[in-house]
Amino acid sequence: MLRFYLRQTVSKDGGAEVLCSPAGLITESDCGPVRRKVLATGVPSRAVTIPASELQAYLNSLPRLLTEHHDITLSGTNSDIVYVKDFHGYGSLSFHANNLGDCVFTRGFTLKNCSAPVIMEKLKWELGSNIPYGESCVYCSTSEVMARECSFTGYVSPNGGQVGRAATTVNRGCCDLWDCKFHNFEMVINCFGAGHIDIIETELGGEYGGSKYGVFTDLGGVAMLPDKVPATLGSGGNVTRNGGVIIQGGKFI
């Protein structure tokens, strides 16, 4: 924000006391950095490589207004929830590993109120025994995230029950899952409160199996599946209620 001040003349005889120096005019050196960002035709990129355990600290250090594409290569294990909140601007966030299995998360990603795009590639989730009921590998609220070639695995309790969800979208959050692997969840995807999830497959394909429910949609949630994937995502069935829908191949199922 640029703040402009008007010069003011105070009569010496008027009895007014000036307690601060008059503000000067904004100069080109003040406006120049802002003007260059406004007129820029390309977005610069910044690449970093960090352990997964340091990801939250790195995100906390970033400005909420993103003016760069942040390309973040991760490795190792992170056993804490990762919060990605309130990022906006014409930049983006990209989290990826060089190979599937190089980076493993045992708790979920929570994305809230992010208008800047978020991309994930070749990340692996293996939910641990300490997760609370209903935890998702990716929880997306009023944000948009794309995951490519990622692996999502829920926790199987000692009595054989599945725990956790691969992805949950709420409050018009949107999640695109490309060529991903899904195993052993209470429910694979959960679209709630106008949340939207697309399962997308290319020639690489995906993997599905061992889950209790495949798709759960509620309160206007929408899930879209391509023709080639199992309609229940390798589970025992789907659930739709309160205006939630599942569309496969252009047809409601």
Side-chain angles (χ1 to χ4, degrees), residues 190-245:
N190 176 27
C191 307
F192 181 86
H196 188 119
I197 294 180
D198 290 337
I199 302 292
I200 301 169
E201 283 198 9
T202 67
E203 66 280 357
L204 296 177
E207 291 183 10
Y208 316 86
S211 296
K212 182 177 181 180
Y213 298 108
V215 183
F216 190 99
T217 62
D218 193 7
L219 293 175
V222 178
M224 301 192 71
L225 313 178
D227 288 329
K228 64 172 70 176
V229 309
T232 61
L233 303 183
S235 73
N238 296 331
V239 177
T240 59
R241 64 187 190 188
N242 298 321
V245 298

Side-chain angles (χ1 to χ4, degrees), residues 15-107:
E17 183 180 3
V18 180
L19 300 178
C20 61
S21 302
L25 296 176
I26 292 178
T27 65
E28 174 58 29
S29 62
D30 297 317
C31 294
V34 176
R35 180 181 292 110
R36 284 192 292 272
K37 289 183 178 181
V38 171
L39 298 178
T41 57
V43 181
S45 297
R46 176 185 298 182
V48 298
T49 299
I50 58 175
S53 59
E54 297 178 9
L55 176 58
Q56 188 66 65
Y58 180 80
L59 292 173
N60 292 345
S61 72
L62 294 178
R64 300 302 97 173
L65 174 60
L66 295 180
T67 58
E68 299 174 303
H69 295 310
H70 293 265
D71 186 2
I72 305 164
T73 303
L74 299 166
S75 61
T77 300
N78 189 336
S79 299
D80 296 314
I81 295 176
V82 176
Y83 295 96
V84 184
K85 294 183 177 181
D86 302 322
F87 287 104
H88 59 282
Y90 50 82
S92 64
L93 295 169
S94 175
F95 310 109
H96 65 91
N98 289 324
N99 303 286
L100 185 63
D102 286 354
C103 176
V104 179
F105 295 94
T106 62
R107 297 291 303 273

Side-chain angles (χ1 to χ4, degrees), residues 139-163:
Y139 178 93
C140 182
S141 173
T142 325
S143 305
E144 182 175 349
V145 60
M146 176 187 297
R148 292 179 178 269
E149 299 178 55
C150 292
S151 176
F152 304 93
T153 303
Y155 172 69
V156 179
S157 65
N159 65 7
Q162 305 94 325
V163 182

